[in-house]
Amino acid sequence: MLNSPRIFLDAVSKYCVTHGIQIEIRAAGWLVVMRRGTKQHLAFGYDLGLNSSVAHRIANDKAATAEVLHALGIPCVPHTVFFSPQMNEVMPPQASWEAMIAILRANPSGVVIKPNEGTSGNSVFRVSNGPELELAAHRIFASSPSLAMSPWLDIEDEVRVVLLDDRPLLVYSKSRPTILGDGVRSVLELALAGMPYEMRSTVFSDMIYNLDSATLNSIPPPGERQLLSWRHNLDKGAQPVLLGEGKVRDDCVELAAQAANAIGIRFSSIDVVNVNGAWKILEINSGVMMEALGRLHPELVYAAYSAALDKVFD
C-alpha cells in the first residue's frame, strides 16, 4: 500500500457514508467490505468488483490482452509472454532465450520488457542488446513468474481513458517530465531546480537510468526542451492533463471502448498510445488507479468512483 492515504479509499468511504452503507477496511487498506441490508460487496486493491473474473485476468495479462485485440483486428502494441525457468516444473520447457533474442534482432531500435502482470511501471526496461536483455530478464524473473516483451516504440503521446460500460468518465494524457534549456545550466541542474521536492527521488532514479552522463551534464540552448524519461508512467513523474472535447479525445474513447468490449470488461482504465500518427491500445487495467489525477482533480476522481459504485449498488 502507498505510504499516504489512497484517494480510492477516501472516495469509497465517502460514498458509503453518503449512501448509508456500512464499511469495514481490512488488510492494511487493501480489502474493503461494504454492506447495505442483506447485500455485501467486496473491493480489493483498486478493483471495485464490477468485472468478471475472466475479464479481470485477461486485462491483468498484457500478452493475453494483446492476443485478444490482435485477433479481433483492434490496433494494439504487441506483447509476447515468456515464463521464468522456474515454471518448467509446471509447463513444458520452451526455447525462450532464442525466441527473445530473435525478437530483439527483429527490432533494431530495441525492445521493452516488463512483468507480464503488474502496474505502475515497476521493473520496466528498455534494452538494445543481449547482455542488457539478460540482466533485465533476470531482474524481472526474480519477482515475477513471467515477462512481456514488446518492440520499443517512439510514443508521441499516451492517453488514459477511464470507461464504465462504454461511457468515458475521465480522459487525460500523460505529460512526461521535461526541462527547458537556458543556455547556462546543465540538464541535471535544470531538473533539480524545476522538480517538486516530493517527486525528486522518483524522477531522478528514472532519469539517471535512462540518460547517460554526457546528456545529464550537457547544457541545452535557450528554449530547447529536453525529455527526462521515455516512459509515460504517472508513478514515474509524468503528469495527468485532462483532454477537452475534440478529435483526439473522440478517437481515443472509441478505440478504448472497442478494446473494453473485446475482453468484456465493464470498469477499466485503458492506455492508448500514438505511434507515427496512429492510435494503438497499450494495455487495459482492471484495477482503476487514479492517485496522481486525484492530487490535481479530486472531485473528478470521487465522481468516477461514485459512478462505478452506483452500478454496484443499483
Side-chain angles (χ1 to χ4, degrees):
M1 181 176 174
L2 302 176
N3 290 330
S4 57
R6 293 186 296 153
I7 195 170
F8 174 86
L9 285 178
D10 193 32
V12 173
S13 298
K14 288 183 176 179
Y15 180 91
C16 290
V17 170
T18 303
H19 291 78
I21 299 169
Q22 292 180 310
I23 181 172
E24 294 180 39
I25 299 175
R26 302 178 178 178
W30 285 113
L31 175 63
V32 180
V33 182
M34 294 169 277
R35 298 186 184 92
R36 185 166 69 182
T38 59
K39 180 172 184 177
Q40 175 175 291
H41 187 81
L42 304 177
F44 187 78
Y46 288 92
D47 191 335
L48 284 176
L50 275 173
N51 301 320
S52 72
S53 59
V54 171
H56 167 75
R57 294 193 67 177
I58 292 175
N60 201 42
D61 186 309
K62 297 175 178 60
T65 297
E67 289 280 355
V68 173
L69 299 184
H70 177 73
L72 295 177
I74 298 172
C76 65
V77 176
H79 287 76
T80 304
V81 65
F82 294 96
F83 294 96
S84 165
Q86 295 181 358
M87 297 293 289
N88 289 347
E89 296 181 1
V90 295
M91 300 187 64
Q94 297 175 324
S96 296
W97 181 247
E98 291 79 2
M100 293 170 73
I101 287 293
I103 293 176
L104 179 61
R105 288 173 177 165
N107 293 277
S109 295
V111 297
V112 174
I113 67 170
K114 52 195 170 185
N116 189 44
E117 300 182 15
T119 59
S120 303
N122 295 320
S123 298
V124 178
F125 304 97
R126 178 186 176 186
V127 301
S128 57
N129 55 55
E132 290 179 353
L133 177 61
E134 184 175 12
L135 178 59
H138 277 299
R139 288 179 175 175
I140 293 173
F141 285 148
S143 58
S144 301
S146 62
L147 64 79
M149 191 173 184
S150 61
W152 183 83
L153 302 173
D154 187 8
I155 295 174
E156 300 167 24
D157 196 9
E158 182 172 325
V159 171
R160 173 161 288 182
V161 181
V162 178
L163 279 180
L164 175 63
D165 292 335
D166 289 344
R167 178 165 68 96
L169 301 178
L170 292 165
V171 184
Y172 54 94
S173 64
K174 303 177 184 180
S175 178
R176 289 175 287 179
T178 63
I179 54 93
L180 191 65
D182 61 7
V184 177
R185 291 175 291 179
S186 68
V187 169
L188 183 58
E189 290 171 328
L190 289 165
L192 273 170
M195 194 64 55
Y197 179 79
E198 63 274 11
M199 295 299 299
R200 286 185 179 180
S201 61
T202 299
V203 176
F204 284 165
S205 61
D206 197 56
M207 179 178 68
I208 292 171
Y209 177 81
N210 289 290
L211 301 178
D212 56 34
S213 59
T215 301
L216 290 171
N217 293 312
S218 65
I219 300 176
E224 180 178 292
R225 191 166 293 279
Q226 168 77 51
L227 281 171
L228 300 181
S229 175
W230 57 270
R231 300 193 286 185
H232 291 77
N233 297 95
L234 296 174
D235 283 350
K236 302 300 179 183
Q239 293 295 307
V241 179
L242 294 172
L243 283 186
E245 299 294 331
K247 179 173 172 51
V248 169
R249 188 182 191 279
D250 292 343
D251 289 348
C252 290
V253 168
E254 180 181 357
L255 187 57
Q258 292 177 22
N261 287 324
I263 70 168
I265 199 165
R266 296 185 62 193
F267 185 45
S268 62
S269 62
I270 301 178
D271 291 331
V272 189
V273 295
N274 190 306
V275 181
N276 296 324
W279 291 100
K280 303 174 182 286
I281 299 296
L282 177 63
E283 62 183 45
I284 301 175
N285 303 289
S286 178
V288 180
M289 179 178 178
M290 295 184 281
E291 301 298 319
L293 183 65
R295 289 191 286 270
L296 299 175
H297 303 285
E299 73 288 351
L300 298 180
V301 173
Y302 291 144
Y305 284 132
S306 292
L309 287 164
D310 281 344
K311 296 284 186 176
V312 170
F313 290 100
D314 187 6

